[in-house]
């Protein structure tokens, strides 16, 4: 995608290796793929809903569940043959919300395993733990 | 609220495109545009407007940051460092938001907008001719102040659903000495994570409504793709002026609405 190992760019530091997949490219791929998958699910779900009902209004409320409980419920419904357009839209929104989360997971792995940069490993791990905490919160 | 369902859907889509374009251009995520329109025009309760806005900010951030990161406009190490403070703030803000008064939220929002807008205008008038472009080399200054500012941006984001961009951009640009375009691109990169930290909490409360979020998010993604292309071709000083103008406009709208008797719902 982008030429590897361009020194002195916005990242501020020269990457130690120019052969490996660099951080910018990795982050870019994750964000782009996440948002594209999410949009595809939402559009497919809305289109299906429109075919079934002739309108686009999804009157449906989620409450009192965290993201994992909700996705779990939806997937159970899907397995038992109750796949509905709403499920696709919901999954799309879930994928959207999880995209930044995945990006942080990937940067932790990248800093720990590839760059062995302990300062940024620590920073990204901290951000990941705060995000994970908020993911399991129910209020 | 507009009467026909198609009109409703299309309206949200158009709102999304506009918000996404502005969000990607200015690093503000579009929450500044989505929340006032949802509350003022559609009569959506402010907590649901914020839930929708947070999801849209993630869409803007992911869509725009993918492009900015690829073009190396985002300083991702700066972003990841400031995220330390901003995610903690975002979780704290989202946790106390439900207990807060709506009018108080709106006034707080407006005060913050005016402050950021005023500072930007002053700076843009002083230095408009010599504004450094993104490619210029720069040294990041005043890290501690930047971290504190990012923490505040996180709290405000969790409270008001704006992703913190309207605070992060001025902090990076005015305080830390980062060129404006790098500040907006880095803000775009960060606000996805800030918004996600609060979005999960709003989601579990039932404040992310598919009815509102689906059409708006699609529009936002289209707008963000547009915004990234416009941003890379527009001189910084025009972006700074646009940024300030948007801040003032919405500050006035929010105050007017709060004083006129609060928010519907």
């Amino acid at each position: 995608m982008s030429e590897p190992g361009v020194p002195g760019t916005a990242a501020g530091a020269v990457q130690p290796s120019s052969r490996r997949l660099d951080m910018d490219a990795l982050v870019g791929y994750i964000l782009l793929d996440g948002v594209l998958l999410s949009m595809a699910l939402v559009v497919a779900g809305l289109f299906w809903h429109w075919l079934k009902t002739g309108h686009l209004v999804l009157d449906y409320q989620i409450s009192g569940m965290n993201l994992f409980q909700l996705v779990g419920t939806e997937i159970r419904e899907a397995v038992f043959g109750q796949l509905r357009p709403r499920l696709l839209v919901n999954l799309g929104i879930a994928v959207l919300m999880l995209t930044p989360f995945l990006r942080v997971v990937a940067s932790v792995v990248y800093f720990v395993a590839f760059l062995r940069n302990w300062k940024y490993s620590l920073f990204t791990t901290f951000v990941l733990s705060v995000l994970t905490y908020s993911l399991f919160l129910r209020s | 609220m507009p009467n026909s369902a198609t009109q409703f859907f299309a309206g949200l889509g158009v709102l999304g495109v506009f918000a996404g374009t502005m969000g990607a251009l200015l690093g503000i995520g579009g929450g500044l545009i989505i929340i006032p329109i949802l509350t003022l025009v559609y009569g959506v309760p402010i907590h649901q407007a914020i839930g929708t806005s947070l999801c849209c900010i993630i869409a803007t951030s992911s869509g725009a940051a993918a492009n900015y990161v690829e073009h190396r406009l985002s300083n991702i190490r700066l972003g990841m460092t400031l995220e330390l403070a901003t995610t903690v703030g975002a979780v704290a803000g989202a946790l106390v938001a439900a207990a807060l008064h709506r009018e108080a939220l709106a006034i707080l929002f407006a005060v913050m907008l005016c402050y950021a807008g005023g500072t930007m205008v002053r700076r843009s008038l002083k230095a408009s001719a010599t504004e450094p472009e993104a490619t210029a080399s720069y040294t990041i200054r005043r890290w501690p102040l930047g971290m504190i500012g990012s923490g505040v941006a996180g709290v405000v984001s969790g409270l008001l659903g704006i992703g913190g961009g309207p605070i992060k951009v001025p902090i990076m640009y005015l305080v830390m000495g980062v060129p404006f375009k790098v500040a907006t691109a880095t803000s775009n990169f960060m606000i996805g994570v800030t918004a996600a930290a609060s979005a999960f909490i709003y989601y579990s409360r039932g404040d992310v409504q598919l009815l509102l979020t689906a059409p708006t998010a699609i529009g936002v993604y289209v707008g963000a793709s547009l915004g990234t292309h416009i941003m890379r071709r527009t001189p910084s000083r025009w972006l700074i002026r646009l940024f300030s103008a948007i801040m003032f406009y919405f500050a006035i709208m929010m105050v007017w609405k709060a004083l006129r008797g609060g928010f519907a719902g």
Side-chain angles (χ1 to χ4, degrees), chain B residues 137-160:
Chain B
S137 69
Y138 56 94
T139 319
I140 299 171
R141 305 182 309 238
R142 299 190 208 126
W143 276 98
L145 210 55
M147 290 298 275
I148 294 170
S150 294
V152 173
V155 175
V156 172
S157 167
L159 278 176
L160 303 170

Side-chain angles (χ1 to χ4, degrees), chain A residues 1-3 6 9-11 15 22-24 27-28 31-32 35-36 39 42-43 46 56-67 70 86 89-90 93 96-101 103-104 107 111 115 117 120 123-124 126-127 130-131 133-135 137-139, chain B residues 5-6 8-9 48 55-56 58-63 65-66 69-70 72-78 80-81 83-85 87-88 91 95 138 143 182 189-190 192-193 196-201 203-215 217-219 221:
Chain A
M1 194 196 278
S2 52
E3 41 304 276
V6 178
T9 55
Q15 306 283 330
D22 69 54
M23 188 79 203
D24 300 65
V27 163
L31 292 176
L32 191 63
V35 77
L36 284 179
M39 289 301 125
V42 170
V43 170
L46 285 174
L56 284 166
V57 175
L58 274 173
D59 210 353
Y60 169 65
Q61 188 164 357
I62 324 143
S63 75
M65 283 192 272
N66 73 31
L67 202 58
L70 181 106
R86 205 191 72 203
V89 178
N90 224 329
I93 301 293
L96 184 64
M97 291 171 63
L98 287 172
T99 299
F101 184 75
R103 189 268 278 171
V104 177
S107 30
F111 280 121
L115 291 186
N117 180 327
Y120 281 97
F123 285 6
T124 45
F126 179 79
V127 171
V130 175
L131 266 186
Y133 169 72
S134 78
L135 200 51
L137 270 179
R138 271 194 61 173
S139 48
Chain B
T6 319
F8 175 81
F9 192 89
Q48 287 180 15
C55 284
C56 292
I58 299 175
T60 314
S61 170
S62 305
V69 166
E70 189 198 326
R72 293 171 194 273
L73 211 49
S74 300
N75 185 336
I76 59 179
R77 286 181 189 231
L78 168 64
M80 283 172 176
T81 309
E83 270 168 12
L84 286 175
T87 42
V88 174
V91 171
L95 284 176
Y138 56 94
W143 276 98
V182 176
F189 171 76
M190 291 165 67
V193 166
S198 318
F200 296 146
I201 298 169
Y203 192 91
S204 73
R205 273 192 207 125
D207 282 335
V208 175
Q209 301 254 334
L210 291 189
L211 170 68
L212 299 169
T213 309
I218 294 171
Y221 176 67

